[in-house]
């Protein structure tokens, strides 16, 4: 009988030791050591401009650094494609989803499906107008802040007197709504600062040029400033101003948001007057957030990016250090 008890004790001890060893071998984020790499679905809204390419690269490169398998989908600026991509990621049973939503509305049902499937969703660079419970966190800039800082710069550099043409971003997108709101928060306090023309250029360089051409045709002699919701549209507008026969940065002051390298070059060239940064380098933070979700932790519903302000006089000393 004694030998039998000793044998049983030895078996129990062996089971305990191996189970502790196995648990210690778990990958970060709670997956069992025997699981393969974490699989992440990344739904990108489009790939139409430099800022977006930089964001995509940040998410893709960091996945490689962390050993994740990344499933990437470019929705080509069609929200229905994004919803279908997220639905497909859910069906594939990914461990996490990174979503850069084209617009604020319409994502509720598919986010609910991800929640029901127990898959954390991290929003990057644009927010959705849905219940906060439907996403783990939003990682992105404060667009109202960006618009307000630009409004202050324009007021400062024009002495509070300007007829302004505005190139808006994608209709219904969080940055478009809030960059307009922030800019108006400031210029509406100046009686002689007025937006005389405002139209979407869809954050796109070509469309930005086309809309600026139309603005110049209509009011070319009455535009003092063009406020662009992103650098790509500003670069298109600069081309249009030159072809119209005016000097961008002097005859018509040009201001934009993002901080891509081409914008710094445009400031060095004297064509662009100031930039408020909006970093696209969100990959590391997106994965930090997913890893927190896998550990069962919570994060604030908004992890705000830190952005800088750059005047034309700063550009030459900064351009070499720009990462995107
Ligand atoms: C901002 C991002 C915007 C950029 C544009 O977070 O959503 O979309 O400012 C891009 O350049 O198209």
């Amino acid at each position: 009988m004694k030998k039998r008890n000793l044998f049983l004790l030895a078996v129990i001890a062996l089971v305990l030791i191996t189970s502790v060893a196995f648990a210690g071998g778990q990958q970060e984020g709670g997956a069992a050591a025997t699981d393969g790499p974490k699989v992440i679905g990344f739904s990108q809204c489009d790939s139409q401009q430099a800022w977006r390419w930089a964001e995509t690269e940040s998410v893709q490169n960091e996945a490689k650094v962390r050993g994740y398998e990344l499933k990437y989908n470019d929705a080509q600026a069609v929200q229905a494609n994004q919803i279908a991509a997220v639905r497909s990621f859910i069906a594939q049973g990914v461990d996490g989803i990174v979503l850069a939503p084209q617009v604020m509305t319409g994502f509720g049902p598919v986010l609910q499906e991800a929640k029901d499937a127990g898959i954390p969703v991290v929003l990057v660079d644009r927010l959705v107008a849905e219940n906060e419970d439907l996403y783990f966190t939003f990682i992105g800039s404060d667009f109202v802040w960006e618009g307000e800082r630009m409004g202050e710069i324009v007021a400062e550099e024009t002495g509070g007197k300007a007829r302004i043409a505005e190139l808006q971003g994608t209709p219904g997108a969080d940055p478009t709504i809030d960059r307009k709101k922030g800019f108006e928060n400031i210029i509406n306090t100046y009686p002689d600062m007025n937006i005389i023309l405002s139209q979407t250029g869809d954050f796109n360089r070509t469309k930005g040029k086309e809309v600026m051409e139309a603005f110049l045709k209509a009011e070319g002699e009455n535009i003092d400033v063009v406020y662009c919701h992103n650098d790509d549209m500003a670069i298109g507008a600069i081309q249009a101003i030159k072809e119209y026969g005016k000097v961008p940065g002097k005859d018509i002051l040009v201001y934009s948001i993002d901080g891509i390298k081409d914008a710094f070059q445009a400031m060095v060239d004297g064509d662009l007057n100031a930039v408020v940064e909006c970093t696209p380098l969100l990959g590391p933070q997106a994965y930090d957030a997913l890893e927190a979700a896998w550990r069962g932790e919570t994060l604030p519903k908004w992890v705000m990016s830190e952005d800088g302000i750059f005047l034309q006089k700063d550009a030459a000393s900064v351009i070499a250090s720009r990462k995107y």
Side-chain angles (χ1 to χ4, degrees):
M1 190 57 171
K2 219 171 171 188
K3 271 188 183 168
R4 182 178 155 73
N5 288 348
L6 280 174
F7 174 72
L8 280 175
L9 274 175
V11 169
I12 291 165
L14 187 63
V15 166
L16 280 173
I17 289 162
T18 46
S19 61
V20 167
F22 175 76
Q26 283 189 342
Q27 283 176 356
E28 184 180 86
T34 53
D35 287 355
K38 289 288 190 187
V39 180
I40 293 160
F42 174 33
S43 169
Q44 177 58 286
C45 56
D46 69 58
S47 54
Q48 292 177 355
Q49 71 287 112
W51 190 95
R52 200 117 325 252
W53 305 332
E55 182 184 60
T56 295
E57 205 175 295
S58 172
V59 173
Q60 289 176 331
N61 291 349
E62 187 65 17
K64 291 189 188 109
V65 167
R66 300 197 188 198
Y68 295 151
E69 181 191 333
L70 186 72
K71 294 180 182 294
Y72 169 69
N73 177 273
D74 167 9
Q76 297 175 340
V78 175
Q79 182 185 25
N81 292 347
Q82 270 203 294
I83 292 169
V86 173
R87 201 156 271 146
S88 166
F89 295 149
I90 296 167
Q92 295 174 67
V94 298
D95 297 292
I97 292 171
V98 176
L99 170 63
Q102 173 77 358
V103 291
M104 294 193 81
T105 56
F107 283 98
V110 77
L111 290 174
Q112 185 61 57
E113 291 165 34
K115 183 179 173 70
D116 294 345
I119 299 172
V121 176
V122 170
L123 302 178
V124 289
D125 101 66
R126 292 182 185 177
L127 191 55
V128 294
E130 305 293 352
N131 188 315
E132 287 185 353
D133 293 343
L134 293 181
Y135 55 89
F136 184 67
T137 190
F138 161 57
I139 297 170
S141 298
D142 181 342
F143 306 122
V144 174
W145 178 89
E146 293 170 345
E148 289 177 341
R149 297 302 70 73
M150 194 51 89
E152 289 165 352
I153 292 168
V154 175
E156 170 70 27
E157 297 194 351
T158 61
K161 189 173 170 46
R163 296 162 298 181
I164 302 163
E166 179 184 31
L167 285 172
Q168 294 190 42
T170 302
D174 184 16
T176 302
I177 295 163
D178 284 349
R179 285 172 183 165
K180 182 171 187 56
K181 187 189 297 177
F183 188 72
E184 290 176 347
N185 285 350
I186 302 299
I187 67 158
N188 288 346
T189 63
Y190 292 83
D192 294 331
M193 292 184 79
N194 298 291
I195 294 176
I196 61 167
L197 293 157
S198 184
Q199 194 177 322
T200 181
D202 208 16
F203 285 133
N204 179 285
R205 197 170 293 200
T206 304
K207 289 181 189 167
K209 182 181 179 195
E210 288 166 1
V211 174
M212 190 65 203
E213 285 165 349
F215 284 168
L216 290 163
K217 194 167 176 205
E219 295 281 356
E221 300 313 308
N222 303 318
I223 299 172
D224 305 309
V225 163
V226 57
Y227 165 53
C228 309
H229 288 189
N230 85 327
D231 294 342
D232 273 76
M233 294 191 294
I235 288 160
I238 286 166
Q239 289 162 359
I241 293 167
K242 287 179 178 175
E243 290 171 11
Y244 180 77
K246 283 188 174 258
V247 180
K250 289 183 180 54
D251 299 336
I252 296 179
L253 303 182
V254 185
Y255 297 92
S256 77
I257 297 173
D258 271 349
I260 64 171
K261 189 154 273 184
D262 283 356
F264 279 82
Q265 188 56 53
M267 286 197 279
V268 168
D269 297 343
D271 295 338
L272 184 61
N273 297 89
V275 162
V276 171
E277 185 184 34
C278 174
T279 182
L281 306 179
L282 304 175
Q285 287 175 290
Y287 296 128
D288 289 346
L290 283 176
E291 288 164 11
W294 295 329
R295 290 193 297 269
E297 298 164 9
T298 57
L299 285 178
K301 283 298 178 181
W302 182 9
V303 177
M304 189 164 72
S305 303
E306 297 293 319
D307 293 317
I309 297 169
F310 300 93
L311 303 180
Q312 193 178 88
K313 65 180 177 53
D314 304 322
S317 62
V318 171
I319 188 167
S321 66
R322 296 299 299 168
K323 296 192 181 77
Y324 62 93

